[in-house]
Amino acid sequence: HANQEYLQIPVVTRAYTTACVLTTAAVQLELITPFQLYFNPDLILRNYQVWRLITNFLFFGPVGFNFLFNMIFLYRYCRMLEEGSFRGRTADFVFMFLFGGLLMTIFGTFVNLVFLGQAFTIMLVYIWSRRNPSVRMNFFGLLNFQAPFLPWVLMGFSLLLGNSIIVDLLGIAVGHVYYFLEDVFPNQPGGGRWLRTPSIL
């Protein structure tokens, strides 16, 4: 039964969430260390440790509240996007991942972030929230607000937990760039689609 449930998860969400959980488990079991995973442009370019371009999106820190919180949000909003506005458009969804990941990697180089998974989660939340503006949200039974405020509420929550909000801001910024290029600009007079999913996907 659990297996069936698992296979019902849309493919991109399933692959990404599983990779995150397995990576974190491998670190917990000390099969690998975070030092082998973090984003480091020098090691990528000089030592060809290309995997770091991907692994830095898969590790959310040791298993604990922060990890669970991120996983729940990642799974939930990734799945809602994949089953919602990207339904039947797996290639476009993968392209959004690549586009978002690439932008974050470029920004990450300048702001010196070593793990970008949380920023990526916020990006997914941001895109979902802008595409579902009328959805009423309830945060831990305390706050009621419309969906577009969700990324900012999460950022406030990060502040309370004493985390750096650079990560959240990066996720919001990249999410906004994607949302603007996909949903806003094409509908402007004289606007066009700048983002085209490559046919290879």
Side-chain angles (χ1 to χ4, degrees):
H1 183 68
N3 198 15
Q4 269 179 336
E5 288 274 303
Y6 178 70
L7 292 172
Q8 276 171 358
I9 302 169
V11 59
V12 180
T13 304
R14 187 169 68 214
Y16 186 40
T17 319
T18 304
C20 293
V21 171
L22 290 178
T23 304
T24 304
V27 172
Q28 285 291 108
L29 297 168
E30 295 180 9
L31 302 173
I32 48 176
T33 77
F35 294 111
Q36 293 165 294
L37 305 172
Y38 76 97
F39 178 62
N40 179 323
D42 279 354
L43 291 174
I44 292 165
L45 295 170
R46 291 196 190 134
N47 301 4
Y48 305 113
Q49 298 186 354
V50 185
W51 67 82
R52 290 178 184 275
L53 286 170
I54 296 169
T55 52
N56 83 83
F57 285 103
L58 302 180
F59 183 64
F60 287 83
V63 173
F65 178 72
N66 220 7
F67 168 74
L68 289 171
F69 190 73
N70 269 303
M71 280 297 99
I72 290 165
F73 271 83
L74 172 65
Y75 169 72
R76 195 168 162 196
Y77 290 96
C78 196
R79 183 168 186 165
M80 289 201 297
L81 272 176
E82 193 168 357
E83 292 179 338
S85 57
F86 286 96
R87 192 178 191 88
R89 295 169 50 210
T90 303
D92 293 347
F93 197 48
V94 171
F95 180 60
M96 182 202 80
F97 264 60
L98 296 172
F99 175 78
L102 180 69
L103 266 190
M104 279 179 200
T105 303
I106 295 166
F107 287 143
T109 311
F110 296 109
V111 289
N112 231 342
L113 288 172
V114 290
F115 288 108
L116 294 169
Q118 192 175 332
F120 198 82
T121 303
I122 293 280
M123 175 192 84
L124 294 171
V125 169
Y126 183 88
I127 294 168
W128 176 86
S129 71
R130 292 302 294 259
R131 287 186 168 175
N132 298 275
S134 56
V135 176
R136 301 282 306 160
M137 308 293 295
N138 184 317
F139 197 65
F140 291 137
L142 302 169
L143 285 171
N144 286 307
F145 51 89
Q146 305 287 100
F149 290 105
L150 181 61
W152 305 100
V153 170
L154 290 181
M155 189 170 89
F157 192 64
S158 273
L159 264 178
L160 288 177
L161 290 177
N163 298 334
S164 158
I165 59 165
I166 302 260
V167 178
D168 298 272
L169 285 172
L170 176 61
I172 288 171
V174 172
H176 186 72
V177 169
Y178 180 83
Y179 168 75
F180 180 79
L181 291 176
E182 266 292 290
D183 298 23
V184 181
F185 189 67
N187 302 321
Q188 305 282 348
R193 288 203 59 184
W194 284 20
L195 293 182
R196 295 218 179 275
T197 303
S199 50
I200 190 166
L201 295 172

